[in-house]
Amino acid sequence: MDRELIAEVIGSLQQGKRCALATIIQVKGSAPREAGTRMLVSADGHIHGTVGGGCAEAAIRQRALMVLDRGRPEIYHLDLTADTAEDEGMVCGGVMDVFIEPLEVIGEC
Amino acid sequence: MGKLAFFQELLAALEEQRPAVAATVVRVEGEVPGMAAGDHFLWEPGGRYEGPGAAVLEEALGEVAPGVLAGRRPRLETLEVKGGNITLFLEPVLPEPRILILGGGHIGQQVAAAAKLAGYRVSVVDDRPDFASKALFPDADRIICAPFNTALQELEINPSTFIVIVTRGHRYDYECLRAVIQAPAAYIGMIGSRRRVQGVKERLLAEGVDPQVLARIHAPIGLDIGAETPAEIAISILAEIIRVYRRGA
């Protein structure tokens, strides 16, 4: 587990920075990173950590910004086997589930 | 548990090397009181839980968490609880590997660099202030300048410790090996030619050390890839450590 990223999450929560945390929770086939990998996405689009880079990471980042707007966590299903994925150069060919949760300071948290 | 409290406890567990399981609720089906997607819980062996949903989780986690720790891999688990189903993402929190480098010479320096590259924690011991220095080990987590025996009496060695013995001479290598040979380390490797290594082993055997204990020692150290330069030797040592860490052999 990435201590630096966890420390970053704590820092963001303490400073009340709006951000979303993306965690890979399931991987099938071949994917760039394994379950448990995390990435922190700030409201301004900055990222900490990496979920493998490339198009998949860009898609997760985009989705995280949406989750931040909606304020509700979700499981984002990313299919790297689809034709579009191949067109865009996502060559790993696996399927990835990513849990994305907003880390906003609402009351207690 | 609030998100901030959870991540703080998680970080504390990681830093204090306490085994635990981090649980994230990723899906809730039905009506489960006190339970929502995005809730986090830290399970620790023998721990107590508070707050809404705690009783439900305590029972559920108590059954699956030990298996997650033993399996060393994260996994998704859907549990049937009162009112519906919850899906948890369960991650083992395991002590991180620490590489203890005995000897701050050319090879020790390269081992430290390679170990940091691979993401391991690094501690270095040397009795010479010129070698146990921040200038030579800019990325090391801990640098200890003390006689090897003194340092080794104080350092904690546990099943996450990987010991690399690369001092400046085989007299010190021998001293270090003798000091750590009974320790519960994950790995003990010692540098030296076959002949020298054999000499050290015979000496320890004569002193009554169990041959089975001696057989655990990785000496000559590193995978046999024909490494010659300090950097190459460091890479062969790290390759051996990675194999022990990931495969247990």
Side-chain angles (χ1 to χ4, degrees):
Chain A
M1 214 175 274
D2 186 345
R3 272 186 301 143
E4 266 172 51
L5 192 82
I6 306 286
E8 196 66 45
V9 168
I10 292 170
S12 298
L13 282 166
Q14 281 171 336
Q15 292 160 28
K17 271 199 338 220
R18 288 184 73 222
C19 47
L21 181 64
T23 308
I24 301 177
I25 58 171
Q26 185 158 253
V27 163
K28 280 185 186 137
S30 124
R33 297 293 299 267
E34 10 178 90
T37 307
R38 287 188 172 82
M39 178 171 80
L40 188 65
V41 183
S42 315
D44 62 8
H46 273 88
I47 59 169
H48 276 102
T50 173
V51 285
C55 297
E57 183 168 288
I60 292 166
R61 173 173 162 273
Q62 214 51 45
R63 193 75 182 187
L65 292 172
M66 208 187 76
V67 165
L68 205 48
D69 274 343
R70 288 188 183 162
R72 264 205 325 269
E74 67 166 32
I75 296 173
Y76 179 40
H77 182 76
L78 205 66
D79 192 342
L80 311 175
T81 60
D83 294 346
T84 51
E86 200 176 315
D87 284 348
E88 289 177 24
M90 292 195 265
V91 290
C92 278
V95 175
M96 216 157 59
D97 283 328
V98 184
F99 183 68
I100 307 177
E101 60 189 307
L103 292 183
E104 283 183 283
V105 186
I106 310 161
E108 180 273 343
C109 96
Chain B
M1 195 183 281
K3 286 191 201 285
L4 179 57
F6 165 76
F7 285 110
Q8 283 173 328
E9 278 201 31
L10 176 58
L11 188 63
L14 281 167
E15 281 181 345
E16 290 158 23
Q17 312 265 301
R18 296 199 313 258
V21 173
T24 303
V25 180
V26 297
R27 189 185 289 132
V28 178
E29 292 156 294
E31 284 292 324
V32 185
M35 197 75 66
D39 285 352
H40 296 273
F41 298 86
L42 192 70
W43 179 89
E44 295 189 73
R48 285 279 160 270
Y49 305 90
E50 287 166 22
V56 174
L57 268 177
E58 187 164 359
E59 197 187 327
L61 279 179
E63 275 174 35
V64 296
V68 173
L69 265 186
R72 303 178 69 95
R73 296 241 173 273
R75 68 172 190 237
L76 276 176
E77 194 86 42
T78 299
L79 305 168
E80 217 175 291
V81 295
K82 206 172 164 225
N85 289 323
I86 54 172
T87 303
L88 298 172
F89 180 57
L90 302 166
E91 291 167 277
V93 177
L94 298 162
E96 287 174 275
R98 178 173 60 104
I99 299 193
L100 174 56
I101 303 169
L102 303 173
H106 295 299
I107 293 174
Q109 290 161 33
Q110 297 298 331
V111 170
K116 287 315 283 184
L117 181 65
Y120 298 121
R121 287 197 193 195
V122 170
S123 303
V124 185
V125 180
D126 202 297
D127 53 351
R128 301 163 296 173
D130 287 352
F131 286 85
S133 85
K134 196 78 192 157
L136 294 184
F137 293 94
D139 300 323
D141 300 277
R142 219 176 145 187
I143 302 168
I144 299 157
C145 184
F148 293 108
N149 268 323
T150 315
L152 288 170
Q153 272 165 25
E154 283 162 26
L155 279 164
E156 192 208 332
I157 296 171
N158 61 39
S160 300
T161 312
F162 293 76
I163 302 173
V164 175
I165 305 176
V166 286
T167 75
R168 62 186 172 282
H170 65 285
R171 183 166 71 85
Y172 295 99
D173 287 341
Y174 160 78
E175 246 181 62
C176 287
L177 182 59
R178 201 170 70 157
V180 302
I181 196 155
Q182 304 290 351
Y187 169 96
I188 301 172
M190 184 180 72
I191 202 152
S193 65
R194 267 174 216 290
R195 198 171 58 86
R196 261 195 190 177
V197 164
Q198 200 48 42
V200 169
K201 283 189 173 175
E202 276 165 14
R203 198 167 156 191
L204 288 168
L205 268 178
E207 287 173 19
V209 174
D210 186 339
Q212 278 188 334
V213 170
L214 274 176
R216 278 182 56 216
I217 309 305
H218 295 261
I221 197 169
L223 293 188
D224 186 4
I225 53 173
E228 286 189 9
T229 67
E232 288 173 355
I233 291 166
I235 287 168
S236 83
I237 292 172
L238 254 295
E240 188 169 66
I241 286 174
I242 292 166
R243 192 176 69 179
V244 170
Y245 176 55
R246 296 290 178 189
R247 288 204 183 146

